[in-house]
Amino acid sequence: MKDEHIFIVRCGEVALKGMNKPYFERMLVERIKKLLKKFGDVSVKRHEGLIFVRADAALDKNALIKEISKVFGVASISPAVECESTMEAIGEAAVAYMLEAIEERGIKTFKVEAKRADKNFPVKSPDIGRQIGAVVLKGCKVLKVDVHDPDCLLFVDVRHDKSYIYQDKIQGFGGLPLGTTGKGLSLLSGGIDSPVATWMMAKRGMMIEAVHFHSYPYTSQRAQEKVEELASIVATYCGRFRMHVINLLPIQEQIVQNCPEEETTILVRRFMMRIAEKIARKTGCGMLITGENLGQVASQTAEALVVTDASVAMPVMRPLIAMDKVDIMDKAQEIGTYETSIQPYEDCCTVFLPKHPVTKPKLDRILASESRLDCDALIDAAVEADEVIDIFPR
């Protein structure tokens, strides 16, 4: 039992995909293999509706679990021991497992929960639980059965060729395997919201590319480095991706010189969306992703979002649209981006910020203001100066 680590990995929504389930499972296996490649010789295989990960016992079990849990599509992970599918072998393995649990955790009560995946196995699930419980009681004199609140819930999973014993079901993030729902371009800033939005769309199986806007020299190099650091944290979940870096300052200066001050924010936002759409079409992205949240700031009122969307033909995904700010902050802390996001560096959206931004813009007025600018030339110049950075997992 000590020769290797064995992990049972369970799928989340993948299990509901009907005829497409094998495709989603294959994608999930490939993602787990890719993430665990750095550990060396690790086996990842599908078998009877589950995914089994096997690794050398010398490897750090907790490190392996941490990496597997980051894979979108994984619902839960159980470190397990394997034995032959006979009642005698299961009983021996269960006793050895519980003796180790007593030594490590000092448990005093337990309950056995058995599942017979192999319906040809001669003993039914309730009887497996009762018989294995009796064997454990005999082999572990200090233990007592507690069916209501046990220190250890011992699972016995009986399958055709092998059976598995485990106690923990460590939660993963669920979602769908990366690459199963296309590719999106995220407008990534240094704030709290956009990294969370990017992570949430990756959790839904979307491959990520990103674009970041800066206003150098009004925004510093350190501000860009902050965004790169945030992107690298997101990349620990969705893998390596590319980030396009665009200098927005020439466009902002033209807007300030030629357009009403109160429209500056919404006009800048429309330019950002159009630049992002152009990059998205060049890079094979099917939609844009933003961290906008309804009513949070002037550019995120219902009216402003309608005017913003009118600037592009591509669908815009806003996964945070109805979330409370506190919930977004909690998610940022969970995925590890919060502490970086709150570092006090400038953002291009704070440059030339009007004192009284329009909160209910009218599209015809915004279009009239844009007619004073050579929009196509400004957008083309910004895209041509695109700086592409490869983002690697942190």
Side-chain angles (χ1 to χ4, degrees):
M1 290 197 301
K2 292 295 186 180
D3 293 335
E4 62 181 356
H5 293 303
I6 300 173
F7 304 99
I8 299 173
V9 179
R10 300 173 193 82
C11 308
E13 291 180 52
V14 172
L16 305 176
K17 292 302 178 183
M19 296 293 288
N20 292 321
K21 181 181 176 182
Y23 164 71
F24 282 87
E25 288 180 338
R26 286 196 301 271
M27 292 292 285
L28 185 54
V29 167
E30 290 306 311
R31 291 302 306 175
I32 296 172
K33 282 182 178 178
K34 187 173 183 179
L35 202 61
L36 298 184
K37 189 176 180 181
K38 60 188 175 185
F39 289 95
D41 187 18
V42 177
S43 168
V44 185
K45 294 182 179 179
R46 292 185 296 151
H47 185 59
E48 295 182 346
L50 295 174
I51 294 172
F52 289 87
V53 177
R54 298 172 184 272
D56 192 290
L59 293 172
D60 185 333
K61 181 177 76 171
N62 292 328
L64 287 163
I65 292 171
K66 184 177 180 180
E67 291 301 312
I68 297 169
S69 70
K70 291 179 182 177
V71 178
F72 295 131
V74 171
S76 65
I77 309 139
S78 293
V81 296
E82 183 182 70
C83 63
E84 297 297 322
S85 288
T86 67
M87 290 300 292
E88 182 180 1
I90 295 169
E92 290 178 0
V95 169
Y97 186 93
M98 294 305 290
L99 286 171
E100 186 173 314
I102 292 168
E103 183 179 345
E104 291 181 353
R105 296 171 48 194
I107 64 170
K108 295 179 180 180
T109 60
F110 77 104
K111 174 187 175 182
V112 177
E113 188 170 300
K115 181 176 73 173
R116 184 182 59 150
D118 177 14
K119 300 307 179 185
N120 293 319
F121 192 76
V123 186
K124 293 183 179 179
S125 297
D127 293 327
I128 294 171
R130 283 191 290 269
Q131 293 181 34
I132 297 303
V135 172
V136 170
L137 280 174
K138 186 176 180 179
C140 306
K141 303 295 185 181
V142 298
L143 290 180
K144 293 181 179 180
V145 173
D146 183 344
V147 297
H148 300 294
D149 187 25
D151 295 336
C152 174
L153 182 56
L154 183 67
F155 294 94
V156 177
D157 189 347
V158 179
R159 296 184 170 263
H160 175 67
D161 49 353
K162 299 288 184 181
S163 292
Y164 300 88
I165 295 169
Y166 56 91
Q167 60 177 315
D168 297 317
K169 288 186 177 181
I170 301 161
Q171 294 301 304
F173 286 111
L176 297 172
L178 281 166
T180 56
T181 58
K183 183 179 179 183
L185 181 73
S186 176
L187 280 72
L188 190 62
S189 74
I192 294 171
D193 299 340
S194 60
V196 174
T198 305
W199 182 92
M200 290 180 70
M201 291 305 295
K203 180 185 173 183
R204 299 308 304 159
M206 181 160 285
M207 297 296 291
I208 296 298
E209 194 137 339
V211 57
H212 170 62
F213 296 93
H214 67 85
S215 302
Y216 185 82
Y218 289 93
T219 56
S220 66
Q221 179 61 32
R222 184 62 189 93
Q224 181 174 320
E225 291 170 358
K226 171 187 171 181
V227 176
E228 291 177 25
E229 185 176 348
L230 284 168
S232 70
I233 296 171
V234 175
T236 62
Y237 300 94
C238 64
R240 171 182 172 182
F241 63 88
R242 301 171 74 192
M243 184 169 75
H244 304 262
V245 180
I246 301 291
N247 185 0
L248 202 60
L249 184 59
I251 292 173
Q252 290 174 300
E253 290 175 334
Q254 287 297 309
I255 291 172
V256 169
Q257 292 171 17
N258 296 284
C259 302
E261 180 191 5
E262 67 273 12
E263 294 177 357
T264 300
T265 300
I266 191 69
L267 287 167
V268 168
R269 192 68 185 169
R270 280 171 57 89
F271 269 97
M272 292 168 70
M273 297 293 279
R274 290 159 75 178
I275 292 168
E277 182 182 40
K278 194 157 189 175
I279 293 171
R281 295 195 185 283
K282 287 172 58 179
T283 56
C285 296
M287 58 190 64
L288 304 179
I289 302 165
T290 81
E292 290 164 314
N293 176 254
L294 187 61
Q296 186 168 249
V297 294
S299 64
Q300 295 176 24
T301 63
E303 295 85 353
L305 293 176
V306 169
V307 172
T308 298
D309 281 354
S311 65
V312 294
M314 186 170 282
V316 182
M317 298 292 107
R318 295 182 172 96
L320 311 184
I321 192 68
M323 290 180 67
D324 290 340
K325 187 66 176 184
V326 172
D327 295 332
I328 299 170
M329 292 164 65
D330 288 345
K331 180 58 71 174
Q333 289 178 327
E334 180 185 358
I335 67 176
T337 57
Y338 181 78
E339 294 300 328
T340 302
S341 290
I342 62 174
Q343 293 176 9
Y345 294 102
E346 316 86 353
D347 188 282
C348 71
C349 294
T350 63
V351 177
F352 306 119
L353 194 65
K355 291 182 179 180
H356 303 288
V358 60
T359 58
K360 296 183 179 182
K362 302 295 184 183
L363 182 58
D364 56 347
R365 294 183 183 178
I366 297 300
L367 292 174
S369 296
E370 286 182 347
S371 68
R372 305 171 190 173
L373 307 170
D374 190 344
C375 295
D376 290 340
L378 288 169
I379 291 167
D380 288 344
V383 173
E384 286 172 10
D386 176 14
E387 177 190 357
V388 180
I389 300 173
D390 285 320
I391 301 296
F392 294 90
R394 188 175 182 177

